[in-house]
Amino acid sequence: MAMVLNYHNARLKGLLPIGFSKNAKPPYPILHFGVGGFHRSHQAWALQQLLNKHPAKFSNWGITGVNVMPQDLAFVKALRAQDGLYFVQRYAPEGTQTTELITTIKEILHVAEDYDTILQRIASPETKIISFTITEGGYNVDLSQNRFIWETSTVQEDLKKQGIPKTVFRILAEGLKLRKEACDEGVVLLSCDNVQHNGDVLRLALLEFLHRYDPSMIDRVQQKAAFIKTMVDRITPVTTPQQKNDLLQQVDIQDNCLVVCEDFFQWVIEEHPALADFPLQEMGATLVDDVAPFEEMKLRLLNGGHSLTGLLGDALGYDRIHTAIKDTGIHSVYMHYCNKEVIPTLSFINGVHYNDYVEQLVARFGNPMINDSTARIISGSTDKLPKFVLPVIWDQLRQSSPQIRIGVFILAAWYYYLDREFKKNQMREVQDQHRDLLMQLFSEPGWEASMFMDRVPMLHSIKDAPIVRELFLQYVNDFLSREARAVIHQLLQQV
């Protein structure tokens, strides 16, 4: 029977980094909400690079990981059983593989079991940064209207101040109140999610929640919390059982929390006085005056391009991104979308050449070792498309000759996907936090595509543009009446 990864077995195998110490005790400088694959391949991996360079100087540095979602409890227990250790396997497009043991998550907590401990960690002056990868939907903000969504059931539950918290906002409200009582130290709130102006969105969400939950904390948060904007990038698909088995054969130790990702890494962080004492650049981060142009570049070209590739790939029967992007039709649509619709909406960034960036993205999408699924990319589209695709359409509509065909085509491909999934098995396999709403709509007698923009709140910002509605219905009808490849071929003749 194979050894399971933990401190004892890693030491026996000689896998621990040189200078590694287990002596550091909590609280640690970083507390992170949302310990999933991406956080572990990105921020936790970046901290490991710092510890590898300066093991003695930063021996007390580490991360307290916090998960909130009920479905994450099994993962928390699995990582805890491994003493927070796990491997990251990075793959370059040409196939080069690098395997690294990550030791930076010093403790992993779940709100259902460790709520008091989580509050103590937030309250401690030793906690300097509270960071977040809680997904786009975790902020609970309608970005088109710049408002907090009070109607969400978890928010309504948390406003009752009973039982275990359901949202990050209640945890922060109670934790920061304890911090106010315990010390006068400020804290950095660092959003690392794919949300444009993510620090501002986090500030809006937390302050709005406090207005109803605990107004007495608003001034304190505004004075003592620094909300920092970032842009993060590293493609990190769900790890497969085969990849875990391959690692077992490679290192002769079982890692139930393996993370597989691409070799590419980017972390752009807004310069701020509150970050002056943190060695972020030695962790691989780039500090800039304005993160917004980098956010736009990544969200619109990479994330929007991912949605395009996933939806069109699924329509053509591909289940993997790396095979979908190599389809000549999908590749052509993606290149047209980037060059004609997206890049004209982007701001100038000194030293960045957008055409080169797009070519690099094609290579990254085509990395076969990442083995990313079209299903993962399509999941959560109600949160993703309003942030990745709709802003391009909005900006183009302000032009005298708007180029929006492919942007609208992506929305039509999403409708086509939902329609097929509904007819196949009542959307049983659709992964989306608004799945119940989508199911309700498609189940209504007389439901048709012309009602989609009026009834899906995430699309309300474009529903009154006649050209958008016209193209959307045209493309949906094409998808529903013709073979998908023929529809894509026709689109390429029009753009």
Side-chain angles (χ1 to χ4, degrees):
M1 186 173 179
M3 288 185 179
V4 176
L5 181 61
N6 56 35
Y7 281 129
H8 175 73
N9 292 336
R11 190 175 297 280
L12 284 178
K13 291 282 187 180
L15 297 171
L16 294 173
I18 295 174
F20 171 80
S21 172
K22 195 185 174 185
N23 296 329
K25 302 296 182 184
Y28 303 104
I30 301 170
L31 182 143
H32 183 83
F33 282 100
V35 180
F38 179 75
H39 168 68
R40 292 186 293 130
S41 78
H42 196 277
Q43 301 98 50
W45 174 88
L47 179 57
Q48 188 69 53
Q49 310 314 300
L50 175 70
L51 301 190
N52 290 347
K53 295 175 191 172
H54 309 288
K57 183 177 180 181
F58 296 101
S59 61
N60 66 322
W61 276 60
I63 298 169
T64 291
V66 176
N67 280 20
V68 178
M69 303 298 288
Q71 63 266 31
D72 291 336
L73 184 56
F75 161 75
V76 167
K77 291 181 176 180
L79 189 60
R80 189 179 291 155
Q82 297 187 179
D83 296 323
L85 302 180
Y86 64 95
F87 287 98
V88 166
Q89 284 194 324
R90 297 182 286 120
Y91 290 94
E94 65 271 15
T96 306
Q97 179 207 98
T98 305
T99 301
E100 299 168 86
L101 183 66
I102 307 301
T103 67
T104 54
I105 299 179
K106 303 299 185 182
E107 62 177 345
I108 180 74
L109 309 174
H110 194 282
V111 68
E113 295 185 343
D114 311 293
Y115 185 43
D116 288 342
T117 303
I118 294 167
L119 294 182
Q120 291 169 21
R121 298 290 183 264
I122 295 174
S124 171
E126 301 302 316
T127 300
K128 307 296 185 182
I129 296 176
I130 301 175
S131 55
F132 305 81
T133 49
I134 55 177
T135 77
E136 298 89 346
Y139 294 86
N140 203 55
V141 170
D142 181 344
L143 295 178
S144 67
Q145 301 183 45
N146 201 39
R147 74 173 188 92
F148 190 68
I149 306 172
W150 290 106
E151 301 81 7
T152 307
S153 60
T154 51
V155 170
Q156 290 300 310
E157 282 295 311
D158 274 356
L159 289 176
K160 298 175 184 177
K161 304 184 180 182
Q162 298 172 354
I164 297 299
K166 303 292 193 300
T167 69
V168 165
F169 312 115
R170 180 180 164 196
I171 300 171
L172 288 172
E174 297 185 358
L176 292 174
K177 186 163 190 172
L178 287 178
R179 187 181 180 94
K180 176 184 177 182
E181 297 167 358
C183 69
D184 196 44
E185 295 288 327
V187 67
V188 170
L189 299 182
L190 192 72
S191 172
C192 298
D193 276 297
N194 281 322
V195 179
Q196 198 162 0
H197 312 300
N198 50 21
D200 295 338
V201 173
L202 176 60
R203 179 194 289 112
L204 168 68
L206 179 55
L207 292 179
E208 282 296 296
F209 182 80
L210 288 174
H211 271 289
R212 295 193 188 179
Y213 190 87
D214 188 354
S216 70
M217 280 298 296
I218 292 175
D219 287 345
R220 172 73 178 191
V221 169
Q222 289 178 323
Q223 293 168 11
K224 292 293 185 177
F227 295 83
I228 310 295
K229 295 188 280 289
T230 72
M231 186 275 272
V232 294
D233 192 3
R234 171 165 270 179
I235 298 172
T236 307
V238 176
T239 305
T240 66
Q242 183 61 52
Q243 288 167 330
K244 292 179 181 179
N245 187 62
D246 290 345
L247 176 71
L248 172 61
Q249 303 306 314
Q250 179 182 331
V251 300
D252 193 30
I253 198 165
Q254 180 69 47
D255 180 4
N256 295 314
C257 301
L258 169 69
V259 176
V260 173
C261 63
E262 65 175 335
D263 191 55
F264 181 89
F265 170 89
Q266 190 173 29
W267 193 5
V268 180
I269 302 176
E270 173 190 22
E271 283 199 279
H272 192 284
L275 297 175
D277 295 331
F278 299 112
L280 294 167
Q281 288 170 304
E282 291 201 72
M283 294 167 62
T286 301
L287 300 182
V288 299
D289 292 333
D290 187 5
V291 175
F294 293 89
E295 291 176 325
E296 286 185 348
M297 174 184 73
K298 192 257 180 171
L299 295 175
R300 299 185 182 194
L301 291 172
L302 187 151
N303 296 110
H306 245 161
S307 291
L308 181 157
T309 305
L311 287 164
L312 297 191
D314 182 79
L316 293 181
Y318 296 109
D319 67 348
R320 289 291 177 267
I321 292 295
H322 68 268
T323 52
I325 194 61
K326 291 174 183 175
D327 181 277
T328 55
I330 295 175
H331 178 265
S332 295
V333 172
Y334 176 64
M335 296 303 292
H336 276 284
Y337 180 60
C338 292
N339 292 324
K340 291 189 175 182
E341 298 190 16
V342 181
I343 290 177
T345 70
L346 300 178
S347 304
F348 171 78
I349 303 177
N350 187 36
V352 173
H353 302 283
Y354 287 126
N355 291 332
D356 293 342
Y357 181 75
V358 170
E359 292 294 342
Q360 185 183 44
L361 288 178
V362 170
R364 292 170 63 193
F365 288 3
N367 186 338
M369 301 308 297
I370 298 303
N371 201 33
D372 208 354
S373 68
T374 53
R376 185 186 80 88
I377 296 304
I378 294 171
S379 67
S381 285
T382 54
D383 289 322
K384 293 176 180 177
L385 297 181
K387 300 173 183 67
F388 304 159
V389 177
L390 295 196
V392 177
I393 296 175
W394 299 335
D395 285 351
Q396 282 287 355
L397 286 173
R398 297 187 184 100
Q399 307 304 311
S400 57
S401 300
Q403 303 297 310
I404 61 170
R405 283 187 176 273
I406 298 178
V408 177
F409 194 77
I410 296 170
L411 302 180
W414 178 41
Y415 184 95
Y416 177 54
Y417 162 78
L418 294 173
D419 184 75
R420 291 188 348 267
E421 291 296 314
F422 176 76
K423 292 173 180 175
K424 181 172 72 175
N425 57 18
Q426 300 288 291
M427 296 191 188
R428 191 176 305 127
E429 297 170 14
V430 171
Q431 299 295 317
D432 198 293
Q433 72 166 348
H434 297 287
R435 175 183 170 277
D436 290 346
L437 168 64
L438 297 171
M439 260 297 299
Q440 176 187 333
L441 296 179
F442 278 76
S443 300
E444 289 183 4
W447 172 257
E448 56 184 32
S450 62
M451 304 160 66
F452 192 60
M453 289 187 183
D454 294 318
R455 302 291 300 281
V456 176
M458 305 80 189
L459 301 179
H460 282 179
S461 63
I462 59 171
K463 71 183 181 68
D464 294 326
I467 187 174
V468 173
R469 298 182 73 97
E470 179 183 340
L471 286 173
F472 176 76
L473 291 177
Q474 173 191 323
Y475 292 142
V476 168
N477 290 332
D478 287 345
F479 270 120
L480 295 178
S481 61
R482 302 173 60 192
E483 195 268 336
R485 187 167 296 281
V487 178
I488 292 172
H489 177 70
Q490 177 178 286
L491 173 72
L492 288 170
Q493 293 180 321
Q494 297 171 342
V495 295

